[in-house]
Amino acid sequence: MQINVREVPVPGVGVRFELDQHDGGTLFVIAERSGRRHLGATRPGEDRPAWSVALDQRQAVTIAALLLGALHRGRAMATATAVAVAVATQRQWWSTPCSSGPTRRCSAAP
């Protein structure tokens, strides 16, 4: 299954990354230049978020590592290891070509 990620500039703030969900809604991450992240989702056919949560940089890295499976014997890996896993995975993910334009589209196969 191919996953499409839309990259939309948010002037003065950073970038919004959007992934379409199976139910027609959208999962999004807003990456601020300050390092803060916002994770949220919209319902099918709606533009307003159904929910969102603000994360500082440390929280965002921890959640990313957990989502990537950074667990060992039921305990979270040390932060340095989790960051290394997240960085290695990010490099692999973004090594796929992206389209250009006001809204970049990147695709990756899991």
Side-chain angles (χ1 to χ4, degrees):
M1 177 175 100
Q2 191 169 11
I3 298 173
N4 294 315
V5 178
R6 290 180 302 281
E7 184 179 327
V8 182
V10 180
V13 176
V15 179
R16 177 177 166 132
F17 299 96
E18 300 175 343
L19 292 89
D20 293 330
Q21 298 298 292
H22 298 291
D23 68 357
T26 301
L27 181 66
F28 67 84
V29 174
I30 298 174
E32 293 185 11
R33 291 185 195 119
S34 67
R36 287 187 67 81
R37 302 292 186 257
H38 301 267
L39 175 64
T42 63
R43 290 188 175 95
E46 295 183 13
D47 292 331
R48 289 188 57 169
W51 62 270
S52 69
V53 62
L55 305 167
D56 63 28
Q57 192 169 16
R58 189 172 177 181
Q59 291 170 319
V61 168
T62 300
I63 288 173
L66 292 170
L67 288 171
L68 290 168
L71 291 174
H72 180 67
R73 294 189 184 145
R75 296 189 319 243
M77 288 183 188
T79 302
T81 304
V83 170
V85 169
V87 168
T89 303
Q90 181 181 15
R91 285 187 184 143
Q92 178 183 3
W93 171 264
W94 291 113
S95 66
T96 59
C98 298
S99 66
S100 59
T103 302
R104 280 181 19 153
R105 290 187 180 273
C106 303
S107 298

